[in-house]
Amino acid sequence: MSYLMTSSTLLAAERVALVLGVSSYKAPVTTLKRSKNDARDVANLLKGKGYKVIVADDVLTKKHLIDKLSEFEVYVKSASLRGKVDAVVYYSGHGLEARKNSWMITADFNLRAATRDAAKKELERSAYTVEQLFARFQTLKLNSVTFILDACRYAAADFSGIGEVNVGFDVASSQNPDRSFVIYSASREKPSYVEFPGDGGKNSVFTHFLLKRLSEENWELNTLLNVLQDDVLAATNNRVPSQIPAGWDGIPGRFYLFGTGGETITQSGGPIVPIFYKTSRIDDAREIATAMENSGVLHGMSADDFSQLKHKPPVGTVRIMRSTVFTPEDATAFEKTYAILKQKFGDKNVKIIEINPNSILYKPFHVQLH
């Protein structure tokens, strides 16, 4: 696979990080004693790798969270005047999907509300959406931003007062900031376990392996995600259900967190093609991603339960959802991807569905493995 390295990618970027942990939840919400350790350990690791780190290891209120975001934004804007900026945002705490949003829950969250309306108001008072977080970072115009969200760590009954609750965060959002990479501790169909016994219960399962792997070497982010998926799945395979991290890649080319300023090697041309897959089909998704990379097609991988679909295709279905409007570069990437899928699954088993460009979320096309 050939890459074009431009002179701009050789310039060092300033590296900054925002690290947030939430631990001191009120009953009946489960306390997360290890989130404080998670935040402190991640902050210390990033400092050791040359990052300027702003940290809050126990975010008590929504205002506390917003204040830390504002402090981080002020620093990033100042750093941007000096040159490129690569950012990392880490969050360890409760997370849930409700009311068509993904929420980060602060410590003063209280669900002792008499009615569902009161519970919804409480959610708005003491929680912050991932969509709001992404929107703020979209305005910063960073060279890159990597979000690492160790969340969805709760019993669903804890949040039953809100209604329409799903376990965990939505993995792939059409609102993800430009040039962003998102790593979630678990996919929407899987829980996130709070304790890894092998380290004496100091960290969550996901953050235990995150710290271990980031201490070993300078990983390319997609490779890091794949290694973490293997680590966490192996560690939780004896639990029902098991846990598997998920992610979304929106940074063109290959990106390394701890390179000289975090270099990006940019591939010349072509769209980034999302591969959405049921967690049971992760091996198929990885094989397709490797073939696409070898063919020069940029891609992102994201676990998905496809719960947003009104009519779910049969298990085993492979679909390409494509816009009716293509550029020449889009058409080239599509033909290569289609050829890969046909070779893997057979011509008759790959369905192409054309969608009006105003209606398709992930342009110009994406792959679904049901």
Side-chain angles (χ1 to χ4, degrees):
M1 186 174 184
S2 61
Y3 290 90
L4 174 65
M5 182 177 289
T6 65
S7 60
S8 62
T9 63
L10 300 177
L11 300 176
E14 187 167 348
R15 288 177 280 174
V16 299
L18 175 65
V19 177
L20 303 171
V22 190
S23 178
S24 304
Y25 290 101
K26 301 174 183 177
V29 180
T30 307
T31 298
L32 295 177
K33 297 180 180 179
R34 293 165 191 83
S35 287
K36 185 176 290 187
N37 296 335
D38 293 344
R40 289 176 176 176
D41 291 347
V42 169
N44 288 334
L45 182 143
L46 292 174
K47 287 177 184 176
K49 298 293 186 178
Y51 278 80
K52 161 68 177 177
V53 179
I54 294 172
V55 59
D57 60 22
D58 197 4
V59 179
L60 299 177
T61 65
K62 182 176 181 178
K63 182 180 183 303
H64 188 187
L65 188 151
I66 292 173
D67 286 346
K68 280 296 174 182
L69 274 173
S70 298
E71 179 184 350
F72 186 74
E73 285 176 335
V74 169
Y75 185 86
V76 166
K77 289 176 181 178
S78 176
S80 296
L81 298 175
R82 299 188 289 270
K84 297 190 298 182
V85 177
D86 290 321
V88 171
V89 179
Y90 173 87
Y91 170 81
S92 176
H94 280 308
L96 67 132
E97 282 186 75
R99 303 174 61 196
K100 300 182 180 180
N101 285 295
S102 301
W103 300 81
M104 299 179 292
I105 308 299
T106 62
D108 71 337
F109 185 61
N110 183 2
L111 259 190
R112 297 189 185 278
T115 66
R116 178 173 292 189
D117 286 342
K120 289 179 179 179
K121 289 179 181 178
E122 175 61 20
L123 184 65
E124 293 174 351
R125 183 192 70 83
S126 56
Y128 197 78
T129 72
V130 174
E131 289 76 14
Q132 288 172 310
L133 177 71
F134 285 174
R136 292 182 75 143
F137 275 83
Q138 179 67 23
T139 65
L140 295 178
K141 306 301 181 184
L142 296 163
N143 183 56
S144 74
V145 55
T146 302
F147 297 95
I148 304 174
L149 305 176
D150 191 352
C152 60
R153 302 189 300 178
Y154 64 90
D158 285 353
F159 303 102
S160 58
I162 295 173
E164 300 178 4
V165 170
N166 293 320
V167 177
F169 287 151
D170 186 11
V171 172
S173 169
S174 59
Q175 301 177 50
N176 288 3
D178 295 339
R179 303 188 65 82
S180 65
F181 197 103
V182 188
I183 299 177
Y184 295 85
S185 62
S187 67
R188 294 175 67 185
E189 298 176 81
K190 302 289 184 179
S192 185
Y193 292 108
V194 300
E195 178 181 345
F196 181 75
D199 64 1
K202 184 183 181 185
N203 299 112
S204 73
V205 174
F206 170 81
T207 295
H208 167 85
F209 287 109
L210 176 72
L211 292 165
K212 178 179 183 293
R213 292 303 185 181
L214 290 182
S215 298
E216 291 174 349
E217 62 180 272
N218 182 24
W219 295 89
E220 187 272 329
L221 283 180
N222 277 291
T223 305
L224 173 65
L225 174 60
N226 290 341
V227 169
L228 289 173
Q229 288 174 325
D230 291 339
D231 286 340
V232 174
L233 183 59
T236 61
N237 232 4
N238 61 339
R239 304 189 187 187
V240 180
S242 57
Q243 176 184 344
I244 182 169
W248 170 251
D249 181 7
I251 303 177
R254 298 176 181 270
F255 185 79
Y256 297 78
L257 280 182
F258 305 144
T260 306
E263 303 96 326
T264 302
I265 301 178
T266 305
Q267 188 182 29
S268 54
I272 298 175
V273 180
I275 305 168
F276 298 105
Y277 61 92
K278 297 277 286 186
T279 52
S280 60
R281 303 197 67 182
I282 186 172
D283 290 337
D284 286 337
R286 287 177 175 171
E287 186 174 335
I288 292 166
T290 299
M292 290 170 69
E293 182 172 343
N294 292 336
S295 298
V297 180
L298 292 171
H299 63 274
M301 290 176 56
S302 178
D304 200 321
D305 63 1
F306 300 106
S307 59
Q308 75 279 12
L309 298 181
K310 293 182 179 179
H311 304 289
K312 294 186 180 181
V315 174
T317 300
V318 179
R319 304 201 307 185
I320 304 179
M321 315 297 287
R322 58 155 291 174
S323 169
T324 54
V325 178
F326 268 4
T327 68
E329 287 182 341
D330 296 340
T332 298
F334 175 82
E335 292 301 328
K336 290 180 178 180
T337 302
Y338 186 36
I340 289 167
L341 295 175
K342 286 193 296 182
Q343 183 175 6
K344 168 70 177 174
F345 302 108
D347 194 356
K348 294 182 180 180
N349 296 319
V350 181
K351 309 298 182 185
I352 300 174
I353 299 177
E354 293 192 343
I355 302 174
N356 185 290
N358 294 325
S359 300
I360 187 170
L361 284 179
Y362 300 99
K363 300 182 179 72
F365 68 94
H366 62 268
V367 176
Q368 295 180 356
L369 303 180
H370 293 273

